[in-house]
Amino acid sequence: MRVPDYHALVVGAGFSGIGTAITLDRAGLHDYLIVEACDGPGGTWYWNTYPGIAVDIPSFSYQFSFEQSAEWSRTYAPGHELKAYAEHCVDKYGLRPKIRFSTKVLGASFDESENVWRVELDSGETLTSRFLVNASGVLTVPNLPDIDGVDSFAGLTMHTARWDHTADLTGKRVAIIGTGASAVQVIPEIAPIVKQLTVFQRTPIWCFPKADLPLPRPARLAMRIPGGKAVQRWLSQAYVELTFPLAAQYFTINPMAKNMDKVGKAYLRREVHDPVVRDKLTPRYAVGCKRPGFHNTYLSTFNRDNVELVTEPIDKITGSGVATTDGTTYEVDVLILATGFKVMDTDNVPTYPVTGRGGQSLARFWDEHRLQAYEGVSMPGFPNFFTVFGPYGYVGSSYFALIEAQTHHIVRCLKQAARRRATRVEVRQDANDRYFAEMMRKRHRQIFWQDSCALANSYYFDKNGDVPLRPTSTVEAVWRSRRFPLDDYAFTS
Ligand SMILES: Cc1cc2nc3c(=O)[nH]c(=O)nc-3n(C[C@H](O)[C@H](O)[C@H](O)COP(=O)(O)OP(=O)(O)OC[C@H]3O[C@@H](n4cnc5c(N)ncnc54)[C@H](O)[C@@H]3O)c2cc1C
């Protein structure tokens, strides 16, 4: 049997890929390569550079537990600081020589005769690796709207995830399509500089204020004294756990989120002066059905004279603007698509075709059996393959806590394989079925099953009406990544 090129191949150098690599190194598994499509690390924070981009989770939590920065400028760091943090982690942990940048994975298939993955690259090469870890992200591939004529617009068109920094919006007539989490951040930034901003909204978003402050001096000082970072981290973790996973995953037990509609409406009343505009901005679905926005000036931006909110459905894009179904055409110079990402489409996670045992395609497996993955990490029929943030892996808290949990799970499997001299590791069908049944049994507690969620147009729901988010707390996910029975996997040679 030939020795594969690498023991492990990791696809993606976002925080999941970086976390995987650090965890592999810590376990003494140094023979790996990360393949990354773009020319730098950071993933989300590499691609998304639109004005106003910032994290929605306090910075004390949105970082690795073992690499806490004392450099965050604000309680919610701006995007460029996250990008710098990714670069810092890559350099500090010596990962740069192990990343092949500007190289895209086009497909991967499992070779059963040798127990290796054959991974095709856009350079024309095929690499082999014993294990394949997918860290290609979930919010990675921009979703382009299916609107007639979207390619025919003669002016500049850009997606928020591919911001064109050479474009000067000053004094321009700008249209923005979409009012999701990215639009909430970008609209208040560009409204003061453009001549006219027309916002096309399909579904309003619940927006809440955010304690977004420059980090006060005492907090910065506290980060430099022994234990100071830990205290801030734990306070922040407790806040995040309480307001995200515990509120969303235990909704029927924990009534905390039940009053959030009232809070959201009171905030709308305070911020938006015109009752007609306010009504258009008021969601008809309950808080939690869809990712909310957090911003201190998004709603009040609609008080500006140069901002118009259009809720009439879009009919088509013309060469010079956006036409709505009531016959109005809005002439604009620039078209911004704030239309989000492909998310849990079976051909998007991973971003390339994966073929497992017996020639089985992962996309088809999920199409036929619904989205599922044991502990959000592995699927039966796909030996030696693991994915960070697979279905039912994410609980809604900071991604970092889950990256650390899932990479720990993966590396436990790889260490066990080394101990048993196994060349094939595959989750057992019964373990996968047990986990999926548990997810189904527990999901009734989640916030997503309120009747009004049908009105939310939410990307949480897949085409089967499933919400592949894990109905547990972060603490449980972390604990289980350390305790799941290793016998849930078959280790063979
Ligand atoms: C605008 C925006 C704001 C966000 N804000 C928050 C927030 O406030 N809090 C929070 O917890 N999360 C937030 N997220 C979610 C965020 O995606 C995660 O927190 C985290 O960054 C995901 O890291 P990742 O490594 O899993 O994926 P990504 O960051 O998406 O990285 C995936 C990497 O894989 C590469 N890749 C993909 N396909 C291939 C291929 N075929 N070959 C080679 N390379 C490939 C991509 O180029 C990318 O670099 C936000 C996401 C977006 C888009």
Side-chain angles (χ1 to χ4, degrees):
M1 208 179 251
R2 278 181 300 142
V3 178
D5 298 326
Y6 296 95
H7 189 58
L9 221 134
V10 180
V11 186
F15 285 119
S16 294
I18 293 171
T20 304
I22 296 171
T23 315
L24 285 168
D25 275 330
R26 287 180 158 184
L29 300 168
H30 304 294
D31 180 20
Y32 64 84
L33 177 76
I34 305 177
V35 181
E36 168 53 58
C38 57
D39 63 7
T44 291
W45 311 99
Y46 172 96
W47 290 113
N48 292 267
T49 58
Y50 57 78
I53 182 164
V55 74
D56 272 353
I57 297 266
S59 298
F60 302 118
S61 291
Y62 196 78
Q63 57 182 341
F64 290 115
S65 61
F66 53 81
E67 189 55 44
Q68 295 182 46
S69 171
E71 306 300 329
W72 304 122
S73 64
R74 306 186 68 83
T75 44
Y76 293 84
H80 67 88
E81 290 186 21
L82 269 315
K83 170 80 172 79
Y85 176 72
E87 299 273 358
H88 162 81
C89 291
V90 161
D91 289 329
K92 176 163 173 185
Y93 292 89
L95 309 184
R96 208 168 285 274
K98 292 180 159 184
I99 307 179
R100 192 182 294 186
F101 288 113
S102 307
T103 307
K104 198 169 180 179
V105 169
L106 299 182
S109 48
F110 188 64
D111 178 337
E112 293 181 56
S113 63
E114 306 229 353
N115 285 345
V116 295
W117 281 92
R118 296 190 180 281
V119 180
E120 263 178 75
L121 308 181
D122 62 354
S123 59
E125 285 165 275
T126 299
L127 298 179
T128 55
S129 66
R130 178 72 68 216
F131 295 99
L132 179 62
V133 181
N134 176 62
S136 67
V138 177
L139 305 173
T140 310
V141 181
N143 184 36
L144 299 176
D146 186 16
I147 301 174
D148 233 14
V150 72
D151 296 327
S152 64
F153 181 63
L156 172 70
T157 305
M158 57 181 164
H159 191 281
T160 48
R162 300 290 182 272
W163 197 264
D164 179 351
H165 289 275
T166 62
D168 181 7
L169 301 186
T170 314
K172 298 266 166 58
R173 296 167 305 167
V174 177
I176 181 162
I177 299 179
T179 52
S182 297
V184 164
Q185 295 184 329
V186 84
I187 286 171
E189 287 295 313
I190 62 173
I193 61 163
V194 302
K195 181 176 179 202
Q196 174 69 30
L197 181 62
T198 313
V199 180
F200 292 88
Q201 172 186 277
R202 184 177 62 175
T203 315
I205 185 167
W206 283 110
C207 184
F208 297 97
K210 163 177 180 185
D212 177 24
L213 307 162
L215 266 177
R217 200 173 140 70
R220 280 174 166 275
L221 287 178
M223 283 199 277
R224 296 185 192 280
I225 57 171
K229 274 186 202 171
V231 171
Q232 294 184 355
R233 166 93 177 172
W234 283 107
L235 287 174
S236 175
Q237 293 288 85
Y239 164 77
V240 171
E241 194 64 8
L242 207 64
T243 50
F244 290 91
L246 294 186
Q249 310 297 356
Y250 295 87
F251 176 68
T252 55
I253 304 166
N254 165 15
M256 206 186 122
K258 293 205 170 118
N259 286 323
M260 288 310 288
D261 290 28
K262 284 192 195 131
V263 175
K265 282 185 182 159
Y267 187 52
L268 267 157
R269 274 196 301 278
R270 199 183 83 190
E271 293 292 297
V272 184
H273 304 155
D274 182 333
V276 177
V277 177
R278 191 191 311 137
D279 186 58
K280 287 181 181 177
L281 287 168
T282 305
R284 301 294 188 252
Y285 59 87
V287 171
C289 297
K290 185 180 175 123
R291 192 183 194 279
F294 299 90
H295 205 283
N296 295 329
T297 55
Y298 169 69
L299 291 175
S300 62
T301 300
F302 291 92
N303 298 329
R304 296 179 64 94
D305 291 337
N306 71 335
V307 176
E308 184 178 4
L309 178 66
V310 177
T311 52
E312 203 63 37
I314 296 175
D315 178 30
K316 60 182 176 199
I317 310 284
T318 68
S320 60
V322 182
T324 48
T325 49
D326 60 356
T328 314
T329 298
Y330 298 83
E331 302 282 328
V332 293
D333 308 307
V334 178
L335 183 60
I336 298 172
L337 306 176
T339 43
F341 299 87
K342 286 187 81 176
V343 202
M344 276 295 186
D345 300 356
T346 49
D347 61 349
N348 177 54
V349 183
T351 53
Y352 47 91
V354 171
T355 310
R357 196 159 45 74
Q360 176 167 218
S361 130
L362 182 56
R364 195 161 349 110
F365 170 75
W366 278 334
D367 267 335
E368 288 170 4
H369 301 278
R370 295 157 65 188
L371 286 169
Q372 51 185 287
Y374 173 68
E375 297 281 341
V377 165
S378 52
M379 286 69 59
F382 298 85
N384 298 3
F385 178 74
F386 301 91
T387 184
V388 188
F389 295 121
Y392 301 99
Y394 180 58
V395 302
S397 61
S398 165
Y399 268 69
F400 281 85
L402 281 315
I403 291 172
E404 289 183 36
Q406 299 205 328
T407 55
H408 190 87
H409 177 127
I410 295 166
V411 169
R412 264 187 85 199
C413 291
L414 266 59
K415 280 164 58 179
Q416 182 71 349
R419 275 194 290 271
R420 295 198 191 172
R421 297 183 188 284
T423 53
R424 188 185 283 205
V425 179
E426 183 177 343
V427 67
R428 295 181 192 279
Q429 184 72 49
D430 59 331
N432 177 73
D433 294 350
R434 192 183 69 227
Y435 183 75
F436 187 58
E438 181 192 349
M439 297 298 102
M440 294 301 107
R441 204 170 54 245
K442 290 183 172 168
R443 74 176 187 180
H444 70 93
R445 304 188 301 218
Q446 294 174 312
I447 202 166
F448 318 113
W449 308 108
Q450 301 173 82
D451 290 345
S452 63
C453 288
L455 306 171
N457 263 322
S458 167
Y459 71 66
Y460 292 161
F461 295 84
D462 73 1
K463 64 179 182 190
N464 295 311
D466 289 333
V467 178
L469 298 180
R470 181 178 183 139
T472 73
S473 65
T474 315
V475 177
E476 183 176 332
V478 170
W479 188 81
R480 280 174 56 160
S481 71
R482 280 155 174 74
R483 310 297 298 183
F484 71 87
L486 282 162
D487 285 342
D488 279 352
Y489 284 86
F491 294 87
T492 52
S493 288

